[in-house]
Amino acid sequence: MSTLEIHTFLCRKDNIGVLVHAPDGSTASIDAPDAAAVQAALTEKGWSLSHILVTHHHGDHTAGNLELKEKTGCRIVGPRLEAARIPGIDVEVEDGDTFLLGGHRVDVIGTPGHTMGHITYFMPDDHAAFVGDTLFVMGCGRVLEGNHEMMWHSLCRIAGLPPDTRIYCGHEYTVANARFGLTVEPDNALLRQRLEKAEETVAAGALNIPTLLEQELRTNVFLRPHNTETRRRFGMGAVADWRVFAELRERKNRA
Ligand code: ZN
Ligand code: FE
């Protein structure tokens, strides 16, 4: 199996641009937050855009669609459930679909909650998942269109991928997420260590993306509602995991 090259860059304010380049020349932009920023990254790498893989309909993920399509002739792939709200969409995909990008397999996983049609692109042979605004480094997306139970189920689907999966998310919110996480799990030494590293990374002008799923399982409080310490702190006993998740999400909204 040939190797993919994955390039990340910051665009807009805190959106993460991601280019996925296969040796056959295929290059996909994961979402299109900003046409000029994506084009600058393509030029820097010397790649030409063949696809945009859209995770969900929000403007900060689709604003560059039409301009990039006009300039490059790329094909735009996106969630069938949100097709009407995704500018320039050519190919509609949904949970369970599989397609090839430069000969590399891409599995579509439905991850609703942030939006109703939100999808994740998982490349099993490359150990990479593009999760949009579902999971963030040590955080998770806001539950805007769905409900907490739905969002929890979506996070579980990501959490169930192989632990060596590299997670590419839609935003750089790492430091704020880790600080919130420490209010929930103050004794989590690895979380504390990751916060320090994340602060250094940001100070150096670099990105904390991608993250490794294995690390998230140990430090992302939103993936850890089963944690007995958290339940004790929240005064929540033997309730379903999604209820503790909902409490975590609501506390983060107020933080
Ligand atoms: Zn969004
Ligand atoms: Fe977003």
Side-chain angles (χ1 to χ4, degrees), residues 121-252:
Y121 297 94
F122 174 51
M123 300 188 72
D125 301 324
D126 303 281
H127 311 272
F130 306 95
V131 303
D133 288 357
T134 301
L135 183 71
F136 294 132
V137 185
M138 292 180 274
C140 76
R142 285 180 186 263
V143 182
L144 297 177
E145 295 179 9
N147 59 44
H148 287 102
E149 192 170 7
M150 179 188 287
M151 185 71 163
W152 170 243
H153 181 71
S154 295
L155 289 170
C156 286
R157 294 203 61 191
I158 296 170
L161 296 175
D164 67 351
T165 303
R166 284 168 296 155
I167 306 282
Y168 293 81
C169 55
H171 293 269
E172 173 66 276
Y173 295 148
T174 309
V175 168
N177 286 336
R179 284 184 184 147
F180 170 76
L182 274 176
T183 68
V184 178
E185 295 190 32
D187 301 327
N188 187 328
L190 182 59
L191 173 50
R192 194 168 294 278
Q193 195 182 311
R194 287 193 82 198
L195 169 60
E196 280 167 28
K197 187 149 180 264
E199 287 171 333
E200 286 169 20
T201 300
V202 169
L207 295 174
N208 288 295
I209 288 98
T211 179
L212 201 59
L213 179 56
E214 185 183 31
Q215 297 258 300
E216 293 304 310
L217 294 172
R218 295 167 67 190
T219 56
N220 188 324
V221 295
F222 295 98
L223 297 179
R224 299 165 55 79
H226 47 270
N227 184 285
T228 47
E229 226 12 83
T230 300
R231 284 173 177 249
R232 190 173 307 144
R233 184 165 282 109
F234 290 1
M236 298 177 95
V239 298
D241 283 338
W242 75 263
R243 291 194 183 276
V244 181
F245 164 72
E247 177 65 19
L248 282 158
R249 187 57 261 183
E250 271 157 20
R251 285 180 185 230
K252 176 68 170 65

